Amino acid sequence: MRRRTAVLISGRGSNLAALLAAAQDPNYPADILLVVSNVPGAGGLALAEAAGVPTVTIDHKPFHGDRAAHEAAIVEALDAAAIELVCLAGYLRKLTPLLVGRYAGRMLNIHPSLLPAFPGLHTHERALAAGVKRHGCTVHFVTEGLDEGPILAQATVPVLPGDTADTLAARVLAQEHVIYPRALALLASGQAGAPDKPLIQAATAP
Ligand code: GAR
């Protein structure tokens, strides 16, 4: 049985697109059955609709900062679709224990850095400022700490002379699209517990 999966987004949805493309294969162990956005009109919504996947927009603004109430509405939508696994894909809201607890061990996030380096925002700018030689992206289980959960997959890319945050972001993003579908496949097929070490490590040359 393919695992019933939802993807939460806030923006353009390129990682969502990568997950949808992987899930086109009937042998892929996760089926994406719902896309939830907290941002009305987020680009990813149109991608989901084009792929025939139901979408729901649950704008956080009418909740006036009541994060738990906003998440309760999300959980209601996930429950209505009998969702088992959740992927955060550019979902740019801090989570509360409500959603984290409900999907403990069943919710993944993708983050554009080699965690534990550069949690939080502006990862590419910070990597350049720090002068690192390699940068990358991480898929991890979601826990209460920001960008802290056990790591499932990482890919590294070189930082090249002349890189800007934009050129580096594009190089990292291409790898995000590779590792996220692979990480979800591991979780959905029961091959990922909460490992201490990444199960997937990819590196691009040099
Ligand atoms: C991706 O780079 C993702 O790693 C990042 O937002 C972007 C979303 O792009 N997520 C975070 O920074 C979470 N801390 P997408 O909408 O095209 O997938």
Side-chain angles (χ1 to χ4, degrees):
M1 276 291 271
R2 304 176 77 194
R3 306 292 300 280
R4 301 180 67 86
T5 302
V7 182
L8 270 55
I9 63 166
S10 302
R12 72 190 153 181
S14 72
N15 278 290
L16 165 66
L19 295 170
L20 287 169
Q24 295 263 311
D25 178 348
N27 293 318
Y28 190 76
D31 200 1
I32 296 168
L33 297 172
L34 184 66
V35 172
V36 180
S37 173
N38 70 310
V39 176
L45 290 168
L47 295 175
E49 281 152 22
V53 175
T55 66
V56 55
T57 298
I58 305 176
D59 190 353
H60 57 277
K61 288 200 199 83
F63 291 89
H64 300 294
D66 186 346
R67 290 178 187 275
H70 177 242
E71 285 187 1
I74 292 177
V75 167
E76 198 175 313
L78 298 175
D79 283 350
I83 294 300
E84 300 171 275
L85 306 179
V86 175
C87 290
L88 307 181
Y91 182 71
L92 301 178
R93 295 285 295 168
K94 254 171 66 183
L95 301 188
T96 81
L98 181 79
L99 199 58
V100 174
R102 183 65 191 274
Y103 288 93
R106 298 187 290 139
M107 180 158 57
L108 301 178
N109 181 44
I110 185 142
H111 181 77
S113 78
L114 292 171
L115 291 172
F118 312 122
L121 297 175
H122 309 300
T123 57
H124 310 303
E125 288 87 343
R126 288 157 61 207
L128 288 172
V132 296
K133 296 271 183 295
R134 296 199 72 85
H135 184 45
C137 50
T138 302
V139 179
H140 64 95
F141 284 99
V142 176
T143 57
E144 281 187 33
L146 178 70
D147 302 325
E148 265 184 18
I151 291 171
L152 205 52
Q154 285 187 314
T156 71
V157 302
V159 179
L160 299 177
D163 260 340
T164 63
D166 284 349
T167 58
L168 188 53
R171 196 173 305 123
V172 170
L173 190 65
Q175 294 306 307
E176 295 185 35
H177 299 162
V178 173
I179 64 168
Y180 211 175
R182 291 173 65 186
L184 174 59
L186 280 178
L187 176 62
S189 61
Q191 294 173 71
D196 296 334
K197 281 199 243 130
L199 292 181
I200 300 168
Q201 272 186 306
T204 56

